[in-house]
Each structure stands twice: as C-alpha cells, then as structure tokens.
Amino acid sequence: LYLLVRRKKNHGSRMTAQWTLSLLLSACLFRASCSAPAIPRPPRSLHPVRGFNNSGGSLSVDLPMALRVFSVDYHHVQAPFEIVLWIMLASLAKLGFHWSGRLPAVVPESCLLIMVGLLVGGVIYGVRHSAPPTLSADAFFLFLLPPIVLDAGYFLPGRLFFENLGTILWYAVVGTLWNVLGIGLSLYSLCLLAPGSLGDISLLHCLLFGSLIAAVDPVAVLSVFQEMHVNEQLRILVFGESLLNDAVTVVLYKLFESFLRMPSVSGLDVLLGGCRVLVVGMGGLFVGLFFGLIAALTSRFTSGAQVIAPLFVFLYSYLSYLTSEMLHLSGIMAIVTCAVTMKQYVEANVSERSNTSIQYFLKMWSSVSETLIFIFLGVSTIQDVHMWSWPFVCSTLLLCLVWRATGVLLLTAVVNKLRRNTVTFRDQFIIAYGGLRGAICFSLVFLIDDFPKKRLFITTTIVVILFTVFVQGMTIKPLVELLDVKKEKGALPSVSEEIHSRLIDHLLAGIEDVVGYWGQHYWKDRSVFTHFVCVCVCVCVCVHLEF
Amino acid sequence: MGSKASTLLREEEIEEIKKETGFSHSQITRLYSRFTSLDKGENGTLSREDFQRIPELAINPLGDRIINAFFPEGEDQVNFRGFMRILAHFRPIEDNEKKSVAVSEPLNSRTNKLLFAFRLYDLDRDDKISREELLQVLRMMVGVNISDDQLGSIADRTIQEADTNGDNSISFNEFIKVLEKVDVEQKMSIRFLH
C-alpha cells in the first residue's frame, strides 16, 4: 500500500489526494474485514484463563482483578459498522470523481465506481485470501433497488411517458420476449455444436440464462443516460422500456426456474406461463395503484403533522414494493405506478418544505443505492468461482448485441406505422446500443439453483455486464455526438410557447372529435383523464366514509 | 350535392378534392362516411348544430371556436368540400412534399397550420391578436381557477414576449417567430387512417 501511495505522488497532487483517500478507506475496510469473525485470531492476552469472547472480536487490556479500562468490542457493532463503512466508501468515491475535474466527462460514473469496487475487492481478496463479500440477492432486491426505482418513478415525465406508452410496452414486452427466445435458443444450438465442454447445459438452462441476460437494466441505463442530454422522446423510450420489462423478465425467469424443477413440461404449462405475464404485470400495476391512492388519501390529513409527511411517501411506496414481491408480482411496476399515482396529490396536499424534503431524500437515497450497487458489482467480480469458456462467453456477448439490434429494427419498423412521431434510424441505433445490463442480471444469476455449469453462467453474466457498462457506456456519448442525435431542448418553454401549445392541443383534440378518431389527443385531453381520476378517488373516499 | 339523391360521392369530385387537399382516395371516402353520419338533416351540408351534437367537442374549451373555423365567412352551412379543406390543414407533412417547392403552398404547410391556429385567436380577422382577444381565449382554456389580475399578467407577458414592433398586439409574423422552436408540423397533425 505504501509503495502505491509513493508512486502516485508523482502524478500530481489532485490524483494523489484522491487515491490516498480511497486507499485509506480500503485500509480501514480491510482492517474491519480482518477483524471479522471469519478469521479467528489468537487472543493476545498472556493469561488464557481470562475467559475471552472467543469469537475473535474482543480485545482487552489484561490487568488482573481490575476493571477493563479500555476494550474494543467490534462484534457488538459489526453489522451496522460495516454497512456504514461501505456507504462511506461509496460516498467518498463519488466525491472524489467529481473533484477530479475532467474525468467524469469522459468516463461515466458507473464505470469509475465499478473500478473502485474492483480495487477494493482486490485488496480484500489479497488480505483475506478468500472471496470478498458479494452482493446478496436479498439485499439487492429488498434494499438497494427500491430507492432507485422509486426515484425514477417519482420524477418520471408523466405526460411524455403516457404519450409513448404503446411503443414502450411494445418494446418492453415483445422486445424482451424476442431477445429471451433468441438468445436462449441460439445458445442452446451452440451447446449442441460443442458437446465436449458445454454438453450438459439443457435447453431450459439456456432459456433461463437468456431470460436473465436479455433484460435491460434501469439502474445502468439511468446512470448513463443522465449524463447525455438526448432528446426526451428517446430517453423515455429507453428508460420506460427498462422499467417495464421487469414484469416480463420476472415471469420468464420464475417460469423457467419452475420448469426446471418440474419433471416434465407440457404445452398447457407454457400457456399458463403466458397468462402469468399478464397477471404479474397487471397485478403489479394494481398493487401500485392501490397504495398510491391510499397514500394520496393519507396526505390529505397530514396538515397537523407536517414533519412526518415525507415519511408516508416512502413508507407507502416501499410497502407496495414489498407487497407485490410477496405476491410474486412485479415489484418495479408496483412502485413506479405508486409513485406516479401519488405524486400529483401529494404535491398538492403537503407543504412546500415537505415537498422539498421528499425530493431531496429520494435523490439522496437513490444516489447512494446506485453507487453501492456499482461498487458491489466491482467487488463481487473478484471471486474464485469463475469458470471460463471462450465460445460460450464470446457468443453470449455477440448474441446479446445481435438480437437486440435486430429486435429494435423489426419492432420499430412495425410501430412506426402507428406512431405520429417516427423513431428515426439514429434513435433506433441509440436504443439498441443503449441496452445496458446491470445488477439485476447479476443478482438473478446468483439465485439459480445449483447445477454444474452455474459458475460458467456467473462468469458470463459478469463479463456481459462489464462489457456493456464499460464499452457501451463509455462509447455511447461520443457516438451520440458523432451521429448528431437530436438533443433535448435546453431552456424551459416560454410562456407564449406554453399557451400556444395548449391551444394547439385543445384544437387537435377537437379536430380528432370531429373526425371521430380516438387518437393521442383524445387520451391526453386533461378533462377526460382528470374526470376519470376524480371518479376513482371519489369512490375511494366514499368507501372509506361508509365504514 | 344538394338533394338526398346525390349524397354519393362522384369520382370527379374525389379527384378534385384529392388534388386540392392531398388526401388519398380511401381517406376521402372514409371521411365522407363520417361527414354523412354527422349530417343528420341529410342535405349534404353540416350546420353548427350538427357539430355541437358531438359530445366531446361540447366539453372542449375551444369547442365553439373550432366549430366556427369550419364555416366560411358569414355562412351557416359547410359542404363536404369545405369540410375537407379545413381538415387538410391537419394532414401530416410527408417527406416528399417538403421538397416540392414548385407547387403552390399546400394546405398542410407549416405556415398554413400556424395561420389556422392564429385565426382561432383572431376573431375579427384584423391580422392581429389584441390583448382582449388573447384574454378571451385564455379565460376559455383556463376556466375559473385563476383571477382576472393573474390572467391579465399572463396575457401581458405573452404579448411582451412576442411583440417586436411595440403595438401591444401579436401579428402573424410575430406569432410564427415565437413558435419557431415548437415542432408544429408534428403537433398539428393527425394520422388519418387509410
């Protein structure tokens, strides 16, 4: 460590400070991990009869027959201490990047964080000679993912999202199915061609792998697209797709997993699986709607206790997520629906300060979560369970790219006929190229039941994630510049633009009524939507009052 | 096209409408069946009452003005030709049309679309949107939630942003200039089903 610090001093003081910072942190981290119960250390005392806590955490000054003046009881605070250290590492790393000037412009934050994670993982491995702590699937799905999705749902541009909802659903459902089946079946044919090393991977395993690797990850997409300012339509298409394909991914993954456990699979089971997609998606939607409306109702009565009003937002959203996870529905859809539903009512009902608190806390939590996820991705890469197979890994990478590209091309060709604003070729390229994989695939692959080639799957998943985040993440920004993709409008619309646009919207709605055409403007027309929502809320309130 | 017997559309008329408006054959026949379904009196023309019978149009804040736009100056009836002429403004601009400069400005060009929107404000057709005309439209769109003072400030701000020659009203050119960043071609288009 000392030598590394020495060498870095030559590269300028800024880099040094940054590196020393992170190395200092890894130092305290490894010290913490060293004193973890995993490595039993011989007690330092000279009197073995003292009766120590042999779990290896306690240290005491040995004064016979006297009070312990100074003692370190690490075991007592171990769990929260380590969590705080990780969060501290994540936050300081984030600080460090933004402090280093030019670096964030070239390399996206997600890449830098993974590299820090790799470094920390390497340090821990070097010290402990065993695998560093990996990202547990439970921790990821229950604690790290919800804040990010909640933040995304709360700040979702509602109007734009609903305008493009058809296209987004088309990409999310049909596109994901296309990718899953394509990748799964191609990998299986590859396994058939190379029976030597890959012969024992069955069709179901390939399909299972396809289902988890095909899904675009909202966390990765969000972090990369946030730094590029592409036009809002493109952004909402990619982002909306990454959010909504969760339903399909969850169902397919669980479906193939249960097929693996069943002795035989019939056609009926496949059909039931198809129905399940609908149930999972719609179920998640309704759970989210339900909690969103209850949250809206609760926010009406918070005028007495303004201070805890933000808490309700978080509690209800998290509850909706947990409920749908409990019912094996799509948690992401639930939490996004909940956020979208309650946002307008909460903003109207709670005080200005509470609104600011809500927004601020959401941003903070999601930022910390995201940073932690990427760091853990890096740390978890350092393992001794890797199994490498050149043909499998390379072909998976290639297949992911190829199937996504063809999928986007075909689907867009179909959907452009029904859309008013066509999706241009440049936008299509960015949609295909921006299909980044992330931590969701990673967690899902760990959850597979153990079978001989599981390690191969884990390695391949890690390679695909790293490839998409590093290669695609780093090159997408220059590509956007090169292809001259339409950027977002810089300034807010002026008052005139707002008013005249409103006029035009009403005008177009009227013309659509004259023509008898239920187009975009019919659904967008405020009066229809708010009328519908008011009816729903009234029903809720009335039901409430009757009890 | 005056009596009940000649309610069927003749081929020559379809051709003429096609040339004038740019709609396709099937679009014209489809819109014709819509026209006849609205025409309760079955006399080949639509009156204001026929439009007001459309339920969604009745709740549209600008419903009356939109209906008015269909009727030429001072008339109370609009025939199918006039109906199509107005709807032609909302046809999407095809790519090959953008390039053909030779033909006189088509009805669905950007300028003509904007002129249609402009005319919704400018009732007295003096080619200027005065403060009162703007206030009227604002009040219609906004409803009763905003006070007169606030609405007045919004109107003043809108005029101030657009007005370049200081006459406290918005001329058509100023209107075009203010909306130059807005994607009018796509906003003001309906995809008519084939």
Side-chain angles (χ1 to χ4, degrees), chain A residues 159 416-422 486 489 491 494-497 499-518 521-522 524-525 527-528, chain B residues 31 34 38 51 54 56-57 59-62 66 70 83 87 90 116-117 120-121 137-138 141 154 157-158 161-162 175 178-179 181-182 186-193:
Chain A
R159 202 168 118 153
N416 264 343
K417 297 212 168 58
L418 304 166
R419 275 179 68 88
R420 212 166 51 144
N421 311 352
T422 55
K486 202 165 129 197
K489 291 192 282 256
S494 64
V495 173
S496 309
E497 282 176 1
I499 291 185
H500 299 315
S501 301
R502 223 17 134 82
L503 176 104
I504 292 175
D505 283 339
H506 284 302
L507 169 63
L508 265 288
I511 297 290
E512 276 179 2
D513 296 328
V514 169
V515 174
Y517 173 59
W518 279 24
H521 291 90
Y522 181 81
K524 210 182 1 173
D525 204 12
S527 52
V528 174
Chain B
L31 286 168
R34 174 67 179 168
L38 288 173
F51 279 103
I54 305 174
E56 295 85 12
L57 204 55
I59 52 174
N60 191 312
L62 299 172
I66 297 174
F70 276 89
F83 185 72
L87 288 181
F90 301 98
F116 193 91
L120 282 182
Y121 285 108
V137 174
L138 279 174
M141 288 203 291
I154 296 177
R157 174 65 185 265
T158 312
E161 278 178 359
F175 187 71
V178 152
L179 288 178
K181 279 197 230 137
V182 175
Q186 283 184 330
K187 256 178 126 51
M188 283 188 74
S189 298
I190 300 178
R191 201 164 269 276
F192 290 94
L193 298 168

Side-chain angles (χ1 to χ4, degrees), chain B residues 13 19 21-22 31 38 48 54 56 66 76-78 103 108 122 124 127-128 135 138 143 152-153 171 178-179 183:
Chain B
E13 288 188 66
K19 228 185 292 180
T21 61
L31 286 168
L38 288 173
R48 287 199 165 78
I54 305 174
E56 295 85 12
I66 297 174
D76 283 332
Q77 303 283 330
V78 60
V103 72
N108 64 342
D122 186 23
D124 55 5
D127 283 331
K128 280 206 289 264
L135 266 174
L138 279 174
S153 327
S171 73
V178 152
L179 288 178
D183 193 357

Side-chain angles (χ1 to χ4, degrees), chain B residues 33-159:
Chain B
S33 61
R34 174 67 179 168
F35 181 85
T36 41
S37 74
L38 288 173
D39 182 15
K40 295 293 192 289
E42 290 187 2
N43 51 0
T45 60
L46 292 177
S47 66
R48 287 199 165 78
E49 286 75 35
D50 288 322
F51 279 103
Q52 278 157 0
R53 238 176 259 125
I54 305 174
E56 295 85 12
L57 204 55
I59 52 174
N60 191 312
L62 299 172
D64 286 329
R65 300 230 172 172
I66 297 174
I67 296 174
N68 262 336
F70 276 89
F71 295 89
E73 283 289 332
E75 289 182 28
D76 283 332
Q77 303 283 330
V78 60
N79 59 14
F80 184 60
R81 256 321 214 341
F83 185 72
M84 291 304 281
R85 210 171 286 135
I86 299 294
L87 288 181
H89 284 94
F90 301 98
R91 204 165 58 81
I93 300 183
E94 315 286 325
D95 278 323
N96 47 8
E97 272 182 70
K98 273 192 210 151
K99 295 184 186 129
S100 67
V101 201
V103 72
S104 64
E105 189 133 28
L107 281 169
N108 64 342
S109 69
R110 187 193 164 93
T111 318
N112 278 326
K113 287 188 200 277
L114 283 171
L115 189 62
F116 193 91
F118 187 80
R119 293 234 168 99
L120 282 182
Y121 285 108
D122 186 23
L123 279 183
D124 55 5
R125 298 292 160 101
D126 62 351
D127 283 331
K128 280 206 289 264
I129 304 177
S130 67
R131 188 173 182 274
E132 284 66 41
E133 286 171 337
L134 188 59
L135 266 174
Q136 277 176 7
V137 174
L138 279 174
R139 177 55 73 193
M140 284 161 82
M141 288 203 291
V142 144
V144 295
N145 296 327
I146 302 192
S147 73
D148 282 332
D149 292 333
Q150 288 170 321
L151 214 58
S153 327
I154 296 177
D156 288 330
R157 174 65 185 265
T158 312
I159 294 183

Side-chain angles (χ1 to χ4, degrees), chain A residues 62-79:
Chain A
D62 22 27
L63 288 175
M65 307 298 279
L67 234 46
R68 288 182 183 171
V69 177
F70 178 76
S71 57
V72 177
D73 191 0
Y74 181 66
H75 183 63
H76 184 59
V77 295
Q78 182 187 355

Side-chain angles (χ1 to χ4, degrees), chain B residues 11-27:
Chain B
E11 274 301 318
E12 311 92 69
E13 288 188 66
I14 297 182
E15 283 303 313
E16 281 172 38
I17 296 177
K18 200 168 170 183
K19 228 185 292 180
E20 191 184 352
T21 61
F23 281 116
S24 75
H25 199 282
S26 50
Q27 284 172 332

Side-chain angles (χ1 to χ4, degrees), chain A residues 7 60 83 136 207 231 240 301 467:
Chain A
R7 219 154 26 121
S60 55
I83 293 177
S136 102
L207 285 172
N231 68 71
F301 305 108
F467 181 83

